[in-house]
Amino acid sequence: MEFSQLRIFQAVAEEGSITRAAERLHRVPSNLSTRLKQMEEQLGVELFVRERQRLQLSPAGKVLLDYSTRLLALHDEAHGAVQGGQPAGDFVLGSMYSTAAVHLPKLLARYHKAYPMVNLQVQSAPSGELLEGLITGRLDAAFVDGPSTIASLDGVALCEERLVLICEADHPPVRGPQDVAGRSVFTFRRSCAYRARLESWFSHEHVAMGRAIEIESYQGMLACVIAGSGVALMSESMLDSLPGKDSVSVHPLTGHFATATTWLMWRKGMLGANLNAWIDLQREGRAEVLQDARAIA
């Protein structure tokens, strides 16, 4: 098997679709189909089964995915080593949706400009799924709600976020969860760390949280809140970036629920050239923000 075949196999396994994998790899779907068929003929097994128009890994495919993840990581590590420690090859970065929207654009632009030999990919998901991606090796690093208590991970803080509850514009002040008891709550799926924080906010005061309605975008949450359908929790920086932010009332949480810290996490022992370069740029960016803040003060 060639490494190019393994990358195709890994992309299809993660996307569950040859078409989406082709878009991710900037190839035509027919090319991916041919290479996968060649792999299956070489190995003498089927790697995928089709279920409801989605490709699912076969038992043999699941075994190969584990090996391919490790082989590709070693390949990229070796590539970086022979390049004298210079960033190069694939670098897969995971991020919470809000971090990707608010904090990453400038860092991504600087990284692409400084290290054009790196094939940087960003995958957005809730914190729980990102942590799973780190543990399985699918992600090289990820921005999550932290710090993580998982012993096999290490990390550095990116920023502290102020958490706010948003309600319809004419909603009275929210001093605690009792003021929104029974209201529908717009949130991401259960693996979202901010959803867990909101559930803890309610349970801390022994107040029942209203029905959770899962929506996959902050823009959608904001639109539903503006319409008066319920409430939602997000970082203040995320809200500030959204058109329509002035059409809702904003209620900061208090106590230990008031803030959350976003961390960049990675597997211990996997601090390679690509990740080191990112951490350096991240620290430079934080230093510039602090310097600007002092200048304004």
Side-chain angles (χ1 to χ4, degrees), residues 147-163:
S148 170
T149 57
I150 300 174
S152 61
L153 301 181
D154 204 350
V156 294
L158 171 70
C159 62
E160 185 176 87
E161 299 282 13
R162 188 177 182 223
L163 300 181

Side-chain angles (χ1 to χ4, degrees):
M1 290 180 293
E2 301 174 359
F3 281 105
S4 59
Q5 287 179 306
L6 289 176
R7 293 197 190 281
I8 289 172
F9 165 72
Q10 186 181 56
V12 174
E14 292 175 357
E15 297 293 341
S17 162
I18 289 178
T19 301
R20 289 197 297 271
E23 293 174 353
R24 170 171 152 182
L25 298 175
H26 306 293
R27 298 188 179 213
V28 295
S30 60
N31 177 260
L32 269 64
S33 297
T34 300
R35 299 297 295 277
L36 284 177
K37 185 177 180 180
Q38 291 172 346
M39 282 187 71
E40 291 179 324
E41 290 175 350
Q42 291 169 1
L43 294 170
V45 295
E46 289 188 352
L47 298 174
F48 295 93
V49 294
R50 185 175 295 278
E51 293 183 358
R52 298 180 182 178
Q53 298 184 336
R54 179 178 174 86
L55 291 177
Q56 301 285 356
L57 285 169
S58 68
K62 291 179 181 179
V63 173
L64 181 61
L65 181 60
D66 179 58
Y67 280 101
S68 66
T69 298
R70 286 184 278 168
L71 285 168
L72 291 170
L74 284 171
H75 173 270
D76 293 339
E77 182 180 336
H79 191 280
V82 298
Q83 291 284 332
Q86 292 300 311
D90 289 339
F91 180 38
V92 186
L93 184 65
S95 174
M96 295 185 295
Y97 298 108
S98 56
T99 306
V102 177
H103 300 291
L104 288 197
K106 289 184 179 179
L107 283 170
L108 288 172
R110 293 176 66 174
Y111 193 89
H112 278 303
K113 183 176 181 180
Y115 306 106
M117 296 301 293
V118 177
N119 176 28
L120 176 59
Q121 304 170 37
V122 177
Q123 299 181 8
S124 297
S127 279
E129 295 176 23
L130 296 173
L131 290 170
E132 182 182 356
L134 289 176
I135 294 170
T136 61
R138 180 172 57 86
L139 301 174
D140 296 310
F143 288 102
V144 299
D145 181 32
S148 170
T149 57
I150 300 174
S152 61
L153 301 181
D154 204 350
V156 294
L158 171 70
C159 62
E160 185 176 87
E161 299 282 13
R162 188 177 182 223
L163 300 181
V164 297
L165 190 77
I166 59 171
C167 308
E168 62 269 28
D170 59 353
H171 196 283
V174 176
R175 300 179 179 86
Q178 64 277 0
D179 293 328
V180 288
R183 299 294 307 277
S184 295
V185 175
F186 298 100
T187 182
F188 290 107
R189 47 194 181 272
R190 288 193 176 277
S191 53
C192 174
Y194 283 7
R195 174 171 175 168
R197 286 180 180 273
L198 188 58
E199 290 171 348
S200 296
W201 182 65
F202 277 95
S203 63
H204 184 264
E205 297 295 329
H206 307 289
V207 176
M209 189 176 89
R211 181 165 63 102
I213 301 175
E214 297 181 0
I215 293 184
E216 290 300 300
S217 75
Y218 282 112
Q219 292 89 343
M221 292 180 197
L222 179 62
C224 290
V225 172
I226 291 174
S229 302
V231 303
L233 178 74
M234 63 183 68
S235 67
E236 189 174 48
S237 62
M238 184 69 236
L239 178 61
D240 287 343
S241 72
L242 297 175
K245 62 181 180 180
D246 296 327
S247 299
V248 295
S249 59
V250 182
H251 311 272
L253 299 192
T254 59
H256 63 279
F257 296 105
T259 60
T261 304
T262 300
W263 279 63
L264 174 67
M265 307 295 300
W266 61 86
R267 285 169 292 159
K268 289 182 177 178
M270 299 300 289
L271 193 60
N274 292 344
L275 181 52
N276 265 320
W278 179 278
I279 292 171
D280 288 341
L281 281 179
Q282 181 175 308
R283 285 172 175 159
E284 290 174 9
R286 289 194 68 184
E288 290 174 3
V289 170
L290 290 173
Q291 185 176 0
D292 292 342
R294 294 192 191 99
I296 293 173

